[in-house]
Amino acid sequence: FRKQQILAVYRYERIGYELSEICRILDEAGVPYMPLKGAVMRRYYPEPWMRTSSDIDILVKPKDVAAATDALVGKLNYQNQGAYDHDVQMYAPSGVHLELHFETIEEHYLANANEVLKSIWDEHAWRISGQQYAMSNEMFYFYHIAHMAKHFTEAGCGIRFFVDLWLLNHRLEYDHQKKTELLQAGQLLEFAQNAEHLSEVWFGE
């Protein structure tokens, strides 16, 4: 168990360093970007290394993909493994895996949810510093549910999705009307309610 703790801390530090370098280079290149998934979620855990990740997920606008990849290849020697339907697969010299997203989830999943997610940059993002942006709490919650539902319908989702969901419900503040409206528009309200209930059975009282 102690060995696994040490490995988790090591992975966190290695990914954290690469994330800081990615942010620095994208800031310098003038490319707006938005960290996703574990890069955001780990701040809500008792210790950030407890939220393990196998890669780094960053969202950029579709029009900025070429500028972002060129900057990371040119300045950090990242290897570009090619673009897929919603991201570009890249690897740092250290071996850390980066998924550079230009869409949050693939087009062929959850058509209604995808329509909602397309509004992130225009309606649900604000600047943190430099070129770094973050989603509103309501949209970040919706994105988590949509990502969870995608995995649930495709191949099953693991317990980490439910841990994250419990923390999102207990650590963040929301405009609950806006959150409900997003879930209804994406046809994910019933899924979210059931997932929340299960997370409370497992991790609540």
Side-chain angles (χ1 to χ4, degrees):
F1 179 73
R2 182 61 177 158
K3 180 180 178 181
Q4 291 304 316
Q5 280 186 310
I6 293 169
L7 284 172
V9 172
Y10 166 72
R11 292 190 193 102
Y12 161 70
E13 292 292 346
R14 189 171 70 151
I15 285 178
Y17 172 77
E18 290 295 344
L19 177 60
S20 67
E21 286 292 278
I22 292 167
C23 294
R24 179 177 66 83
I25 293 303
L26 294 180
D27 281 337
E28 291 177 1
V31 174
Y33 63 93
M34 187 181 298
L36 302 173
K37 302 179 186 176
V40 180
M41 273 305 310
R42 61 176 52 101
R43 72 185 63 161
Y44 305 119
Y45 278 68
E47 296 288 346
W49 56 264
M50 292 178 176
R51 177 48 164 86
T52 56
S53 298
S54 59
D55 55 23
I56 297 171
D57 295 273
I58 298 281
L59 179 67
V60 297
K61 298 177 181 179
K63 68 181 181 65
D64 292 328
V65 172
T69 53
D70 288 348
L72 293 170
V73 170
K75 298 291 181 66
L76 295 179
N77 296 316
Y78 269 61
Q79 292 183 3
N80 183 347
Q81 299 291 315
Y84 292 82
D85 50 7
H86 75 307
D87 62 23
V88 179
Q89 300 287 315
M90 306 187 75
Y91 286 88
S94 66
V96 170
H97 179 205
L98 166 65
E99 292 187 355
L100 188 68
H101 293 258
F102 46 87
E103 300 289 350
T104 46
I105 58 176
E106 298 90 332
E107 281 282 350
H108 55 278
Y109 288 113
L110 306 172
N112 294 90
N114 245 312
E115 285 301 311
V116 175
L117 290 166
K118 287 178 180 177
S119 67
I120 286 174
W121 284 110
D122 295 331
E123 300 176 29
H124 300 279
W126 78 90
R127 189 191 298 264
I128 300 297
S129 64
Q131 295 296 322
Q132 183 172 339
Y133 285 75
M135 297 182 206
S136 66
N137 287 352
E138 294 79 20
M139 179 56 84
F140 188 69
Y141 178 92
F142 178 85
Y143 170 57
H144 179 78
I145 291 293
H147 185 223
M148 187 178 186
K150 184 197 84 168
H151 280 271
F152 181 83
T153 57
E154 176 67 11
C157 60
I159 196 169
R160 186 169 59 187
F161 278 105
F162 291 92
V163 180
D164 287 353
L165 181 60
W166 190 90
L167 288 165
L168 286 174
N169 278 317
H170 290 267
R171 299 285 188 270
L172 273 68
E173 295 182 356
Y174 300 100
D175 180 322
H176 289 283
Q177 181 177 344
K178 288 182 180 178
K179 189 174 79 164
T180 299
E181 288 172 354
L182 288 172
L183 292 168
Q184 288 175 329
Q187 294 189 0
L188 288 172
L189 181 59
E190 185 177 1
F191 179 85
Q193 289 171 338
N194 282 283
E196 283 186 12
H197 176 69
L198 185 54
S199 75
E200 291 297 333
V201 171
W202 284 347
F203 309 118
E205 297 182 3

